[in-house]
Amino acid sequence: MNEAATYRPLVGRLAVITGAAGAIGRATARKLATRGATIVGVDHPSADASALEALFESGEALTLLRADVTNESDVKAYVEAALQVTGRIDVFFNNAGIEGAQAPISEYPTEDFVKVFNVNVLGVFLGLKYVLPVMQEQKAGSIINTSSIAGLIGAENMSGYIMSKHAVLGLTRTASLEAAPHGVRVNSVHPGFIDSRMLTDIVHNLGAPDAESLAPSVPMGRLGSVDDIANAVAFLASDDSSYMSGHSLVVDGGKTAG
Ligand SMILES: NC(=O)c1ccc[n+]([C@@H]2O[C@H](COP(=O)([O-])OP(=O)(O)OC[C@H]3O[C@@H](n4cnc5c(N)ncnc54)[C@H](O)[C@@H]3O)[C@@H](O)[C@H]2O)c1
């Protein structure tokens, strides 16, 4: 019997995923569904969700909601709509994010810095603000915020993104302290170089030929896959990580070990 048939720790759980139409979001939606969860995917009204929907063709439960995570009334509405599905939110993958501009600080467009803040920090904060009370009332739940190795180290030309992902780490630690007495866990996942549209665009903007050119700089010698991240999120979502909160789970092939 394959893993899908035998290992289903998320049966009966409702998982909300923001940025669900994106590369990491949809891989994680698929992974959590395979492990038994019912999925509520959230993405921006302008996002193309066809690849996500194609992963759920076989009639499994996916509810797709449209919301701008920077808009407080949209966030309130997606949380309320998600609650309509099973009356609970067991897992929240707070994942929507943008890469912003790549330029030295002296040339970094201020409006891009604000935009990155709004999506990657305010969007994550608002998600926490409206999901935490639901989970605290349930006395159970697991939240996973998407940070990055950019939340642990600096990088030239990436000030907006680096700022935002460090902020996600701070929000995770603070939320974990506030939520722990209520039986709710909050952790962050820190992807390294993941083979994806986002990494390819960043690398091109910085003048490198392609994302693969970064592989030799990774101790394990390869880029990560979206499934590497989905597996880590699935672990944090499940009771297999039941004594973990405020943890930063780094998934980077050893990139930040040195
Ligand atoms: N790809 C990587 O190498 C990498 C590495 C580290 C961290 N991350 C982080 O992982 C997360 C997912 O990245 P990805 O690679 O899947 O990128 P992606 O661009 O494929 O997906 C991001 C999703 O977020 C959505 N989104 C953006 N702004 C939004 C808004 N205002 N409201 C609602 N949805 C919005 C987009 O529509 C998109 O579907 C991001 O937080 C990103 O910063 C990615």
Side-chain angles (χ1 to χ4, degrees):
M1 243 191 261
N2 63 18
E3 184 213 8
T6 57
Y7 184 57
R8 290 170 61 81
L10 300 177
V11 166
R13 309 271 170 101
L14 188 288
V16 176
I17 299 175
T18 68
I24 290 172
R26 62 179 184 264
T28 305
R30 185 60 262 168
K31 178 69 65 177
L32 299 188
T34 300
R35 297 207 175 161
T38 300
I39 307 297
V40 175
V42 179
D43 213 304
H44 194 273
S46 67
D48 175 4
S50 54
L52 170 68
E53 289 171 320
L55 291 174
F56 283 81
E57 267 172 352
S58 55
E60 291 154 297
L62 167 72
T63 302
L64 179 60
L65 302 174
R66 297 294 185 169
D68 180 345
V69 299
T70 71
N71 181 308
E72 187 156 1
S73 52
D74 276 20
V75 175
K76 200 164 179 282
Y78 84 62
V79 171
E80 281 166 5
L83 270 174
Q84 297 305 308
V85 178
T86 65
R88 302 176 56 82
I89 300 176
D90 300 289
V91 175
F92 179 42
F93 185 31
N94 202 1
N95 166 71
I98 59 172
E99 64 272 29
Q102 288 83 51
I105 290 172
S106 58
E107 293 163 28
Y108 200 99
T110 305
E111 62 270 28
D112 284 66
F113 192 87
V114 171
K115 195 173 172 201
V116 174
F117 173 85
N118 283 339
V119 178
N120 295 10
V121 184
L122 182 64
V124 167
F125 165 78
L126 290 173
L128 291 168
K129 179 173 176 175
Y130 288 96
V131 171
L132 276 170
V134 173
M135 290 186 170
Q136 291 180 177
E137 174 79 22
Q138 294 168 177
K139 298 265 174 244
S142 174
I143 297 176
I144 304 99
N145 296 322
T146 305
S147 179
S148 166
I149 57 170
L152 304 170
I153 56 173
E156 299 93 333
N157 301 304
M158 297 283 293
S159 57
Y161 193 70
I162 295 282
M163 167 279 298
S164 71
K165 294 303 184 180
H166 276 69
V168 170
L169 176 57
L171 282 171
T172 301
R173 288 175 169 158
T174 301
S176 75
L177 294 173
E178 293 179 5
H182 304 280
V184 177
R185 300 185 296 111
V186 187
N187 294 289
S188 52
V189 66
H190 298 255
F193 297 150
I194 304 305
D195 192 5
S196 61
R197 189 283 311 159
M198 183 181 284
L199 182 66
T200 300
D201 283 1
I202 291 172
V203 162
H204 283 159
N205 288 343
L206 292 174
D210 54 31
E212 200 53 43
S213 64
L214 297 177
S217 75
V218 178
M220 288 182 69
R222 68 167 175 89
L223 301 181
S225 72
V226 289
D227 281 334
D228 289 323
I229 307 309
N231 281 326
V233 175
F235 167 65
L236 291 174
S238 78
D239 295 344
D240 290 348
S241 58
S242 60
Y243 198 51
M244 291 172 67
S245 197
H247 183 72
S248 313
L249 186 52
V250 181
V251 187
D252 71 348
K255 178 70 186 164
T256 54

